[in-house]
Amino acid sequence: MNWISVKDRLPEINTVVIAYGSVDSEKRVEPQYYSKSKYSDEIVFSEPNCGCCSQIYSLRDVTHWMPLPKDPNDKQ
């Protein structure tokens, strides 16, 4: 799998991806849920299954992402 620049393509809405961004100026690679904000038309990356769109759990300045790998039990 290769990293995809957000300048080239964005993930499908309402999917979980691996994202590269920052939290408090610290660069991180984390699973993130890519969706529309509940409060505006803004598109956000947020922690999967957090039950909210809290910016506390969101990566900022996401520059790259990649799809999640296949499940190790997937026989395909």
Side-chain angles (χ1 to χ4, degrees), residues 3-41:
W3 287 102
I4 301 165
S5 171
V6 296
K7 292 178 182 178
D8 294 336
R9 182 167 56 106
L10 291 169
E12 290 185 32
I13 299 285
N14 299 326
T15 59
V16 177
V17 298
I18 298 170
Y20 177 79
S22 61
V23 174
D24 298 329
S25 301
E26 179 183 323
K27 295 294 185 184
R28 295 187 183 183
V29 173
E30 296 182 356
Q32 294 281 292
Y33 182 69
Y34 182 72
S35 64
K36 277 192 166 185
S37 170
K38 292 180 182 178
Y39 309 106
S40 70
D41 288 334

Side-chain angles (χ1 to χ4, degrees), residues 21-70:
S22 61
V23 174
D24 298 329
S25 301
E26 179 183 323
K27 295 294 185 184
R28 295 187 183 183
V29 173
E30 296 182 356
Q32 294 281 292
Y33 182 69
Y34 182 72
S35 64
K36 277 192 166 185
S37 170
K38 292 180 182 178
Y39 309 106
S40 70
D41 288 334
E42 182 183 8
I43 302 297
V44 295
F45 286 90
S46 61
E47 182 179 18
N49 302 319
C50 72
C52 63
C53 285
S54 172
Q55 295 298 314
I56 295 170
Y57 300 108
S58 298
L59 284 179
R60 309 274 183 163
D61 303 320
V62 172
T63 60
H64 292 80
W65 65 277
M66 69 172 63
L68 292 177
K70 289 186 180 185

